[in-house]
Amino acid sequence: MIVALALSATAQQATITIHADQGKEKIHKEIYGQFAEHLGTCIYGGIWVGPDSPIPNTDGYRNDVLQALKDLHIPVLRWPGGCFADEYHWMDGIGPRDQRPSMQNNNWGGVIEDNSFGTHEFLNLCELLGCEPYISGNVGSGTVEELAKWVEYITSDGDTPMARLRRQNGRENPWRVRYLGVGNESWGCGGSMRPEYYSDLYRRYATYCRDYDGNRLYKIASGASDYDYNWTRVLMNQVGNRMNGLSLHYYTVVGWSGSKGSATNFNADEYYWTLGKCLEIEDVIRKHKDIMDEKDPKRKIGLMVDEWGTWWDKTPGSPNGFLQQQNTMRDAIVAALTFNVFHRHTDRIRMCNIAQMVNVLQAMVLTDTNDGGHIALTPTYHVFEMYRPFQDAIYLPTDVLCGQMTVRHDPANDIDLNVSSSYRTVPTISATAARLDDGSLAIAIVNTSLDKEQRAEIYLKGTTAKSLKGRILACRDIADHNDFDHPHMVEPKEFDKATLKRDKVDLTIPAHSIVTILVK
């Protein structure tokens, strides 16, 4: 049972103070990273239809999806998994497509895949999108030799066996690949390992994944699932600075058995519970950071939240194991709140990758292949697009004074067994701010209240402003979403409820909405 208690009496008024003269940490653009796994129709039918498809495409990539992703300015893309990565053998996905062996996807629905989307297809996609590739290597069922040769195949420019094989397959010059994940969820689907055992495996695998011809790998160890602080402690002690980054996975999910709840049919209590669970990621990040700080006080090792997002029951009628779900304004609120948390911890967080990019979980884009193919951009897509100015901007400390909602759990009936307290709090207002290269300020404000607009005063400390321009993502009902018949139900519009007085902005924010403002 989930019970939402009353808002404080001051819930309809908020004060936001932005310290425009105090920022020093960069909001790494990779925080806005994406994730594409061989899962459901994320790859096949979502990104890739093949060059012979009647769906308009460029060398096999859907044109509509390509354009939508280009418009997001995606900084980094993780592939091929997820759980799929530790059963993926890369040599099955190179060479002539009609000669590649098929495989069964044992993790996601048992479907047969033809391996037509492999290393070349992924890395060429990253070049088309202008983003950094993030390869997740097979440690669970693969070998050290296999992963070492994959790195050589991709990045060597010499007269090496794997570089010669790459050239035979049509790619003369090597790709530049910075990010390499050494395994994925090694505590679970990636091998059911203990952290002590995985630490030794990481050291071994990382040793043989070499830097070739000017390419410098940023090696990421398979880190913890949300509340597993012991995993982080063991890796910091036994791996330490042999890794460049350490991953963390955190889903806004009710639990891992039974119903996860409907993506579109939910009540107010379930809505506020979702936001409370989402915001608990901040406590989780703080605790992992504290452990990392003990061994790495200069924070050279990055924390990579390379799987995050909402997880609901599958869309009725969709195949089992495809993790297809709709995406409402509730999911957009989760995305914005999560970004605001990430910004506050950019001194340690170097990358984040939402799960996932197309047709899976909290997706940016929904597609089908019927009648020439259809596409719908989700509310979460629009949050990523509205937050684009924050990429590589300087985070500005921001104080928020507002009301809050308290969400209480009944431990006897709640299947979220990892709740650290019987209560979570949800502020009515969440805000973040950053300074851009030209000196202008980007500000984002979220009103989490389902039924109350919020009046807010924003004080700009250490600067004065001449103009502002705003946009808003809002809807009539929190469960509103975009589909192929109604693709524009939830999308950004111009926001004109803000006024500027040199060092102060006054605005009124509608219920359950997200506002971004650019102040010059």
Side-chain angles (χ1 to χ4, degrees), residues 320-357:
N320 291 329
F322 277 29
L323 305 190
Q324 179 181 322
Q325 65 185 42
Q326 245 307 342
N327 190 305
T328 70
M329 188 66 194
R330 175 176 64 167
D331 299 282
I333 297 282
V334 167
L337 292 176
T338 304
F339 284 141
N340 294 359
V341 171
F342 290 159
H343 291 179
R344 291 194 285 272
H345 298 278
T346 194
D347 56 344
R348 176 69 81 174
I349 295 177
R350 302 290 194 274
M351 183 198 296
C352 304
N353 308 80
I354 193 168
Q356 291 187 11
M357 191 164 70

Side-chain angles (χ1 to χ4, degrees), residues 226-286:
D226 42 44
Y227 309 90
D228 187 356
Y229 305 110
N230 181 62
W231 187 280
T232 295
R233 185 172 291 106
V234 171
L235 263 64
M236 291 301 298
N237 287 333
Q238 298 195 11
V239 177
N241 60 15
R242 289 178 175 85
M243 57 187 172
N244 303 111
L246 179 62
S247 72
L248 172 66
H249 292 179
Y250 185 94
Y251 284 97
T252 298
V253 59
V254 173
W256 298 108
S257 61
S259 173
K260 295 176 174 62
S262 170
T264 57
N265 185 15
F266 52 90
N267 60 32
D269 289 343
E270 291 167 327
Y271 164 77
Y272 286 115
W273 177 91
T274 299
L275 302 196
K277 172 67 172 176
C278 153
L279 288 169
E280 194 167 78
I281 194 174
E282 183 151 29
D283 183 58
V284 170
I285 288 170
R286 285 195 182 109

Side-chain angles (χ1 to χ4, degrees), residues 41 44-46 48-49 53-55 62 367-374 484:
T41 57
Y44 298 108
W48 177 259
V49 290
S53 172
I55 296 174
R62 289 183 64 139
T367 70
D368 70 10
T369 56
N370 300 326
D371 302 322
H374 302 93
F484 304 134

Side-chain angles (χ1 to χ4, degrees), residues 141-168:
S141 69
T143 66
V144 173
E145 180 183 16
E146 182 180 16
L147 187 53
K149 285 184 173 179
W150 200 7
V151 172
E152 179 188 335
Y153 183 91
I154 291 170
T155 63
S156 172
D157 196 26
D159 186 23
T160 69
M162 291 299 101
R164 292 197 298 270
L165 179 60
R166 183 195 67 239
R167 294 183 187 109
Q168 291 172 18

Side-chain angles (χ1 to χ4, degrees), residues 91-155:
M91 293 194 78
D92 293 341
I94 61 173
R97 295 191 191 105
D98 60 357
Q99 297 177 25
R100 297 179 189 178
S102 61
M103 66 171 290
Q104 179 168 300
N105 190 333
N106 295 309
N107 287 287
W108 307 117
V111 298
I112 302 299
E113 299 200 10
D114 64 4
N115 276 312
S116 60
F117 189 97
T119 299
H120 289 247
E121 289 74 23
F122 170 67
L123 293 173
N124 290 342
L125 171 64
C126 290
E127 288 186 338
L128 284 171
L129 296 177
C131 70
E132 290 277 357
Y134 174 8
I135 296 282
S136 186
N138 183 346
V139 171
S141 69
T143 66
V144 173
E145 180 183 16
E146 182 180 16
L147 187 53
K149 285 184 173 179
W150 200 7
V151 172
E152 179 188 335
Y153 183 91
I154 291 170
T155 63

